[in-house]
Amino acid sequence: MNTSADDQASRDEEVLARSERLERLPFTKKLGKLLGTSGVGWALDAMDVGLISFIVAALAEQWGLTDSEKSWVFSVGFIGMAAGATLGGLLADKIGRRSVFALTLLIYGIATGAAALATSLGVLLVFRFLVGLGLGAELPVASTLVSEFAPKRIRGRVIVWLEAFWAIGWILAALIGYFIVAGSDDGWRWGLVIGAVPAIYALVIRLHAPESVRFLETKGKYDEAEKIVQEYEESAGPEYEYTGPTVQSEVDAEKYKLPQVDKHLTIWSPSMRRRTIALWIIWFAINFSYYGAFTWIPSLLTAQGFSLVKSFEFTLIITLAQIPGYALSAYLIEKIGRRSTLAIFLAGSAVAAILYGQAAVDWQIIAAGMMLSFFNLGAWGALYAIGPELYPTTVRGTGTGAAAGFGRIASIITPLLVPLFIGWGGNVLTFTVFSIAFAIAAGAAFFLPEQRGKSIH
């Protein structure tokens, strides 16, 4: 009888990596605080993106902007977002998720407030670029940070909950648009002042959000990582106290045969290449359709003869449908998996886009718009849940940021193309193109690996 071997095997079974210790925990107050803290930042981001669609509609009347000039107000922000997403992801893997999260909120919050003072289109475009730079970097970094703390059995659902804060931000934007932007000639300026709130909130993020445990370990900061994990275990209750050996170095990790990440891995390594290509296609297609449709809807409604107030009212009602879309996505993502949930919501978006293009009277516009809002934002929730799960810690920020950055290229192009589509074939052609893009994204979803219930390393 080999007692020492049995003892060693028993001891090995008790050894857990810090990431495994986090993933065995329930949903705790600690995780809820992180979700809420990150979610408020997410909502403020959405509020900014939503506000600009209302502000452009108002400025078109006040400054007499052409369709081309309106398009550039949208697109220059997305140029900043493309650069910000790529740069933010790289920085998140270099200096940490929390620091980048706070820095991006600060950049775009200040730039949004400064844009309220713009006296010309040129000045507004400069500040919109800076706003996009901060906004583009924040979203993939926030989802990466939260995903690295969420237990594997509910990780997808938690990230969809995080994404659901986007709906809150859009609703706030619609309310500000309806009551403030449309309320006076200077309403658009006051709307941008309200959008500067993230500059203050950035300080809260920096002080209270924990750094990613997985990131700290890649930098050799084992003591700091251990302290954070212990705080989360305490939040879960005494039954989750860990008494086994702790890893203090890579040597310990090898000794206890814990999962390790290949530090030479890139998002284009053979094992990563297929998922990277599929993820980029989805990001491009969903950005193309989402930003083409939702940034232009207020302006398209006014072009159809609706008053500014009426178009804002329609947009507010349509936006409310985002909330049940997120709720169903959050439920399905842990029931039927990430790929199927994403594909279903993208396919639903494709159908809704066709219906919206055909809508002519009030009730049809509202019904089709709500359907598009419901399915499209549910798809966004699933997409943000999938991204961080596809890559290991060393390239997780880079992978999610690069995909988002590539997708932003579509959001740069689409606002410039919408006036052309409208001129060639009206709403029917415009939303048919969006429908095709959604369908392509739905097909690409099946080329991603299914990560439901799997650990991330």
Side-chain angles (χ1 to χ4, degrees):
M1 181 176 178
N2 191 345
T3 304
S4 60
D6 291 342
D7 290 343
Q8 179 65 37
S10 176
R11 187 166 66 92
D12 287 344
E13 288 176 359
E14 297 173 356
V15 179
L16 295 175
R18 291 184 185 86
S19 59
E20 293 172 323
R21 289 162 59 188
L22 285 173
E23 292 197 330
R24 71 194 175 106
L25 301 180
F27 187 91
T28 63
K29 289 183 179 179
K30 198 81 173 174
L31 179 58
K33 182 179 179 180
L34 175 62
L35 176 63
T37 302
S38 302
V40 172
W42 203 287
L44 293 171
D45 287 359
M47 186 176 73
D48 179 88
V49 174
L51 267 176
I52 198 62
S53 66
F54 296 102
I55 287 169
V56 165
L59 287 179
E61 294 189 356
Q62 288 187 34
W63 289 3
L65 299 182
T66 66
D67 283 348
S68 177
E69 289 171 332
K70 288 190 288 185
S71 296
W72 274 109
V73 177
F74 293 132
S75 289
V76 75
F78 295 133
I79 292 172
M81 289 176 76
T86 304
L87 181 61
L90 290 170
L91 286 176
D93 286 335
K94 295 294 182 183
I95 66 174
R97 285 65 160 133
R98 181 180 65 175
S99 298
V100 175
F101 189 22
L103 179 62
T104 57
L105 283 168
L106 193 63
I107 290 172
Y108 98 78
I110 293 175
T112 297
L117 304 175
T119 55
S120 68
L121 179 61
V123 173
L124 181 62
L125 291 177
V126 170
F127 286 122
R128 287 308 303 169
F129 173 81
L130 293 175
V131 168
L133 194 66
L135 178 60
E138 191 273 326
L139 297 179
V141 173
S143 62
T144 296
L145 177 63
V146 176
S147 70
E148 290 180 332
F149 277 96
K152 63 182 178 183
R153 65 185 177 280
I154 58 169
R155 182 182 301 113
R157 188 166 295 161
V158 169
I159 300 303
V160 177
W161 289 341
L162 172 65
E163 233 284 303
F165 279 86
W166 186 269
I168 297 173
W170 259 96
I171 291 169
L172 287 173
L175 290 171
I176 293 170
Y178 184 75
F179 290 106
I180 297 177
V181 176
S184 67
D185 288 345
D186 287 330
W188 67 272
R189 295 186 187 276
W190 288 111
L192 287 173
V193 169
I194 294 172
V197 171
I200 301 170
Y201 188 69
L203 299 177
V204 178
I205 291 289
R206 190 66 180 88
L207 292 172
H208 297 289
E211 182 54 88
S212 163
V213 169
R214 292 169 172 83
F215 170 78
L216 291 171
E217 288 184 325
T218 64
K219 300 302 179 182
K221 299 180 179 180
Y222 296 103
D223 290 340
E224 188 175 346
E226 179 64 27
K227 181 180 178 182
I228 293 172
V229 173
Q230 288 181 359
E231 289 175 351
Y232 271 71
E233 288 172 335
E234 290 174 5
S235 177
E239 64 271 29
Y240 289 96
E241 181 184 0
Y242 177 70
T243 58
T246 57
V247 177
Q248 296 298 326
S249 67
E250 291 185 16
V251 174
D252 286 348
E254 292 178 4
K255 174 183 176 183
Y256 297 124
K257 299 180 180 179
L258 298 178
Q260 296 188 66
V261 175
D262 180 1
K263 292 187 177 181
H264 301 290
L265 197 71
T266 73
I267 64 173
W268 296 109
S269 294
S271 60
M272 298 285 112
R273 193 176 301 147
R274 174 172 162 164
R275 65 187 65 184
T276 294
I277 292 172
L279 188 64
W280 282 31
I281 290 172
I282 296 168
W283 264 95
F284 188 92
I286 197 171
N287 270 274
F288 185 89
S289 299
Y290 174 78
Y291 286 105
F294 283 94
T295 57
W296 270 95
I297 280 177
S299 295
L300 293 177
L301 288 172
T302 55
Q304 288 176 255
F306 294 101
S307 69
L308 192 65
V309 172
K310 195 68 173 178
S311 69
F312 285 8
E313 179 185 328
F314 280 11
T315 306
L316 173 58
I317 295 170
I318 289 169
T319 300
L320 292 173
Q322 294 181 10
I323 296 176
Y326 282 125
L328 183 59
S329 180
Y331 173 77
L332 291 178
I333 203 164
E334 299 296 357
K335 289 293 182 180
I336 65 174
R338 279 71 163 132
R339 290 186 307 186
S340 297
T341 300
L342 179 59
I344 288 171
F345 277 88
L346 286 169
S349 299
V351 174
I354 291 290
L355 294 176
Y356 191 88
Q358 303 286 339
V361 297
D362 292 16
W363 74 266
Q364 292 174 346
I365 292 171
I366 292 174
M370 291 182 72
M371 183 179 175
L372 182 60
S373 188
F374 175 91
F375 281 108
N376 199 185
L377 275 297
W380 272 113
L383 180 59
Y384 270 105
I386 287 172
E389 294 182 335
L390 297 177
Y391 300 101
T393 299
T394 52
V395 294
R396 184 168 295 120
T398 301
T400 55
F406 184 73
R408 298 305 177 192
I409 296 174
S411 62
I412 295 167
I413 297 170
T414 314
L416 300 174
L417 292 177
V418 168
L420 297 178
F421 294 155
I422 294 294
W424 293 337
N427 280 3
V428 174
L429 173 64
T430 303
F431 283 86
T432 297
V433 172
F434 294 155
S435 177
I436 293 170
F438 281 132
I440 291 171
F446 290 101
F447 288 90
L448 296 173
E450 178 55 62
Q451 299 293 86
R452 180 174 55 141
K454 295 181 180 180
S455 298
I456 58 175
H457 301 291

